[in-house]
Amino acid sequence: MPILLFLLDTSASMNQRTYLGTTYLDVAKGAVEVFMKLRARDPASRGDRYMLVTFDDPPYGVKAGWKENHATFMCELKNLQASGLTTLGHALRTAFDLLNLNRLVSGIDNYGQGRNPFFLEPSVIITITDGNKLTHSSGVPDELHLPLNSPLAGSELTKEPFRWDQRLFALVLRLPGAATPDNEQLGSVPTDESAITQMCEVTGGRSYCVRTQRMLNQCLESLVQKVQSGVVINFEKTGPDPPLVGEDNSVESSRPVSSFNPQPWHSCHKLIYVRPNPKTGVPVGHWPIPESFWPDQNSPTLPPRSAHPMVRFSCVDCEPMVIDKLPFDKYELEPSPLTQYVLERKSPHMCWQVFVSSSGKQNDLGQPFGYLKASTTLTCVNLFVMPYNYPVLLPLLDDLFKVHKLKPNLKWRQAFEMYLKTMPPYYLLPLKKALRMMGAPNLIADTMDCGLSYSVISYLKKLSQQAKIESDRLIVSVGKKAPQETGIKVKNHSSSLSLAHRRDFKQLLQGITGEGPLRLVDINFKEFAGFQIALLNKDVKPQAYRNAYDIPRRNLLDQLTRMRSNLLRTSQKLIRGQDEDYLHSIPVAQMGNYQEYLKMMPSPLREIDPDQPKRLHTFGNPFKQDKKGMMIDEADEFVAGPQNKKRGNSNDSNSGATMKRRRSMSPLLRRPQTPPGNTNHVVVGKSPVGVQGQQNLIKPVPQHKVPESNGDGVLGPELGEILVEDWLETIFIAPLDGSQAELRTRVIKEVRKPGRSEYELAILSLLQQVKGPLNVQRYFIQHAIKEAVRFKKRVLIQQLELVLAELEEKHAASSQLPNNHGR
């Protein structure tokens, strides 16, 4: 899923410079919209993630981050304002930290365990600026500096602020203010000479010097093509140059070979394409690129790695090695002088081995982990990634399958053990997976050793936890506005003396507040010297007052009364008059936001009778029903009662197991999934779940938790007592005998019969035959009500409820005790 981060220059110069009457900031906004339309033509753009960052101080500079949708992005883009300094370095650091924060949570960088090209989050940062001087609070620097003291934990593990799948591109607007003759030549857009160009080239990107509208459109189309899934690698030649090859593909050893003069293909800083799996859409790979150090279990820390690995290639021709069923990874190289040189040799059956210095135990060139090879059609150059020191491993595996038939002798085992000792320990896991795929799962013991110390492993796990907390904090902060100033600025409209400097200022103030006579003749309200009204109470936020000249003449007296009342009630946070008007001038898009209005209302008083169920607010519909309390099945039946949408409550010990786990790329950060424990239990007494459910009912209908039956057989649990819940208590009754169970079956049959008047009398007569204590009689009536609810027989439900009420009143009168279970 590509990440497209737009870093827009919001300095004051973006509003001061114009192109054909349009400010540079508006040109930048239009360029972003055009890019998004061009990108939408690609079917692969469905998974794009757009982010928006400005030059403002973090976190307010992050306008759209990980959780914001497309609508929020476009809204923030249209509302951007340009006022500030050109703090490009701080803004770039904020953009990189925003991208790297999620990497620490997922462990995608896999520090100390090799670099996996198939673990990537391809990101393209597009900066749009005017190329003006870099300005910040301490001066005007000549070079671009990114702050090294990043607040992001774990940033010391990488030398650079960016990663190998993050590239920076810059659109430097140098458009003229007036129209110029259209005499430009079509061709490549040159790079800009500003300070950002070098930063773009370091990340594997480039800058564009935009001078006309046609060049801007050309750059946007080029940027759309740059959105590729891949990682940037430094390729550097090691050893002598290869012998020259003649036109007949023969080696010309007589021609001199110059190894001292550097050629463009000797060192290239280019991308390798990591293609996703066409079936799953996710890149799949097997082997990492080795680290530039040997892991040491005694080292308490990890050495910092460079953002782009340095891969050295030897120009000695070798035959490409491969055996049956052994997986390997193939990545296509981006066109460069290196690919051009390899293709010009026209040797598709030869390869050049690649190395990473200091990857082995000895601090030398290390062992080969793959090779560069031209395709058979000579159209591209591919990087083949194999197991570490594959020239030793592949013959051993070939002998294992073809000679030893998966039954190796002692000599073979000794050679294999010797190979494992020279291989970096983080290759054990992918090698074991490959051997399992090949049919030899028991060659490597299960006691795997990643080669890292316990302190390093603990630190990496701690980083993931801290990054998750920081990520949640950043997500919450996105969208919040910067705090306003602590005072109200008043513009200077006149150079005359301010009212605050007059000797009779107190008398004038008393006249305004109504404490004394008002002398309007002596006051010229247009004469205010520039000053700032300080706020003594820091909790009171300054509010934007209405302009007095916008008030109609007929409303002046009314408005003056409001102003006087507001001035005398300065302790209140809301202006009463303004708030009353605001209630009747809400935009249509916000009229339905009733929840925000409820938050501002004071908390209601306690109910007089807490036992009564709470009634839901019916804003907009007085006949609103709690549809959450209905569960519709395939037979169009419904069971009344609240259904909890959540799969677990806060008291459930296994509620955490139902939550989605974060996908962790690193094997060190993966946690074993424990099977959920046994949750089968019986609650005796008051049920908190029942209490919560009863509070959401509109009509107090008792809920019956009786096991359902599939036929006309005997109902109830098989091993004992029958559970009945009436309001807040759970009661157990003894199992019914044969006659009572048969009577219950007859009642259920009568309830299920179609019709109305005939079966109702039969049901009531059957209920009168029930013998036993009050709990048994209530059980029969409540169970009949439950069946009637299932078949939507409302008249029968009302009659049964009357019978139940009469039974409760009769029992209460006989016992002369307060009844807690009745209606």
Side-chain angles (χ1 to χ4, degrees), residues 677-779:
N678 187 10
T679 58
N680 297 328
H681 57 277
V682 179
V683 180
V684 182
K686 295 186 178 182
S687 172
V689 180
V691 175
Q692 181 181 3
Q694 294 293 340
Q695 292 178 352
N696 294 330
L697 287 177
I698 298 178
K699 183 179 180 180
V701 180
Q703 304 299 312
H704 311 277
K705 294 186 178 179
V706 182
E708 304 243 2
S709 69
N710 297 326
D712 297 334
V714 178
L715 300 177
E718 298 178 357
L719 299 179
E721 301 167 341
I722 300 176
L723 179 67
V724 177
E725 178 180 343
D726 183 16
W727 296 109
L728 309 170
E729 294 187 5
T730 304
I731 305 172
F732 290 86
I733 63 176
L736 300 178
D737 55 8
S739 60
Q740 294 282 68
E742 183 180 359
L743 182 60
R744 179 182 58 188
T745 304
R746 293 174 59 188
V747 171
I748 297 303
K749 284 184 177 180
E750 293 295 331
V751 172
R752 294 176 179 175
K753 284 183 179 180
R756 176 175 294 181
S757 59
E758 299 179 357
Y759 68 87
E760 292 176 357
L761 298 177
I763 294 173
L764 297 178
S765 62
L766 290 175
L767 291 177
Q768 294 177 358
Q769 301 177 14
V770 178
K771 299 179 181 180
L774 176 65
N775 292 340
V776 176
Q777 297 179 14
R778 282 165 46 192
Y779 163 70

Side-chain angles (χ1 to χ4, degrees), residues 92-131:
L92 279 175
R93 186 77 209 203
T94 302
F96 286 129
D97 287 345
L98 177 63
L99 296 175
N100 297 334
L101 186 61
N102 193 56
R103 303 174 71 90
L104 289 175
V105 177
S106 62
I108 196 174
D109 287 314
N110 210 30
Y111 288 107
Q113 299 294 297
R115 303 170 184 254
N116 297 304
F118 44 89
F119 285 172
L120 79 165
E121 286 178 349
S123 306
V124 175
I125 302 177
I126 303 175
T127 302
I128 305 180
T129 180
D130 59 353

Side-chain angles (χ1 to χ4, degrees), residues 448-474:
M448 294 185 301
D449 185 11
C450 62
L452 301 179
S453 62
Y454 176 77
S455 61
V456 171
I457 297 176
S458 301
Y459 177 68
L460 294 177
K461 292 182 179 179
K462 184 179 179 181
L463 277 183
S464 177
Q465 299 172 358
Q466 292 178 351
K468 176 59 178 174
I469 298 175
E470 181 67 18
S471 176
D472 295 339
R473 186 193 65 82
L474 179 63

Side-chain angles (χ1 to χ4, degrees), residues 611-640:
D611 294 335
Q612 292 294 330
K614 293 183 179 179
R615 181 180 177 89
L616 294 176
H617 71 81
T618 56
F619 172 70
N621 183 8
F623 303 100
K624 182 179 179 181
Q625 295 182 357
D626 186 10
K627 295 187 178 180
K628 298 180 182 178
M630 295 186 180
M631 181 176 62
I632 307 300
D633 59 4
E634 292 80 5
D636 197 19
E637 301 173 354
F638 74 96
V639 179

Side-chain angles (χ1 to χ4, degrees), residues 268-279:
C268 288
H269 185 73
K270 290 296 181 179
L271 192 77
I272 63 170
Y273 301 115
V274 182
R275 308 295 185 187
N277 189 350
K279 295 183 179 179

Side-chain angles (χ1 to χ4, degrees), residues 182-226:
D182 191 5
N183 55 0
E184 59 176 315
Q185 299 292 332
L186 292 178
S188 60
V189 180
T191 59
D192 194 73
E193 298 179 356
S194 58
I196 197 175
T197 299
Q198 186 177 1
M199 187 66 192
C200 294
E201 294 175 352
V202 168
T203 62
R206 59 157 300 183
S207 65
Y208 300 89
C209 182
V210 180
R211 298 189 179 277
T212 61
Q213 181 66 40
R214 181 180 297 180
M215 294 177 68
L216 179 59
N217 296 334
Q218 184 179 352
C219 294
L220 293 176
E221 294 178 356
S222 175
L223 284 176
V224 172
Q225 302 298 325
K226 298 291 184 182

